[in-house]
Amino acid sequence: MSELLHPNAPHDLPSFITAPGDTDVLMVVVGVILLGTVLAVGNIYLRLHTLPERMAHRSQKLQFEIVAVLGLLALFTHMHVFWVAGLLLAMIDLPDFSTPLRSIAGSVAAIAGVQPGAEAPRPPHDIATAVAPGLAKPDLAKPDLAKPDLAKASDKKEPGEDDAGASGLPGHA
């Protein structure tokens, strides 16, 4: 390398200085180390960022989804308060309401005689327009506004008249 140096250049150059046209080994090694360091630090930050989601993964589905949305909001808005809220929500163990409600629904279905998983019979869409089979459909456009005859309802019966009530026995109302 000394024959390639300029006569005015110092002859005791460090070993990492390369001759013109040669590969700079030090730059390649530093580039590989830099790339590895950036990937390692990025992996650490990604693991730290997904910490609330990994903590909430073993909890309920709804809680996990809320924590995941908070994590995405923190990622895209750069507002760390969403990440902190997600971390706190992941740490809190929410009570399980769905399991007892499913158990109650299954018991009620068993009492009603509905097969588990079968679709329950649907009630009519509008109870006012529902008609029993064999009956004429009521005309709702013209409501029956006939007033009851109160004079007939308040008539007193004469003694001895048949006053059989709902029981069908005379004298019993």
Side-chain angles (χ1 to χ4, degrees), residues 47-59 63-64 66-72 74 79-93:
R47 285 186 163 279
L48 181 64
H49 179 75
T50 60
L51 177 68
E53 292 154 10
R54 287 185 285 125
M55 288 174 64
H57 186 69
R58 58 181 168 248
S59 66
Q63 184 179 8
F64 173 71
I66 293 171
V67 169
V69 167
L70 287 171
L72 284 175
M79 295 180 67
H80 304 298
V81 70
F82 292 123
W83 186 85
V84 172
L87 182 64
L88 292 175
L89 183 62
M91 287 181 179
I92 296 171
D93 192 20

Side-chain angles (χ1 to χ4, degrees), residues 2 5 16 31 33-35 45 47 87 104 164 169:
S2 60
L5 290 177
F16 58 83
I33 291 174
L34 179 66
L35 182 67
Y45 276 117
R47 285 186 163 279
L87 182 64
I104 292 170
L169 300 173

Side-chain angles (χ1 to χ4, degrees), residues 15-55:
S15 63
F16 58 83
I17 295 184
T18 60
D22 285 348
T23 303
D24 192 357
V25 178
L26 181 64
M27 186 180 80
V28 171
V29 170
V30 169
V32 169
I33 291 174
L34 179 66
L35 182 67
T37 305
V38 166
L39 290 176
V41 169
N43 192 12
I44 291 171
Y45 276 117
L46 183 64
R47 285 186 163 279
L48 181 64
H49 179 75
T50 60
L51 177 68
E53 292 154 10
R54 287 185 285 125
M55 288 174 64

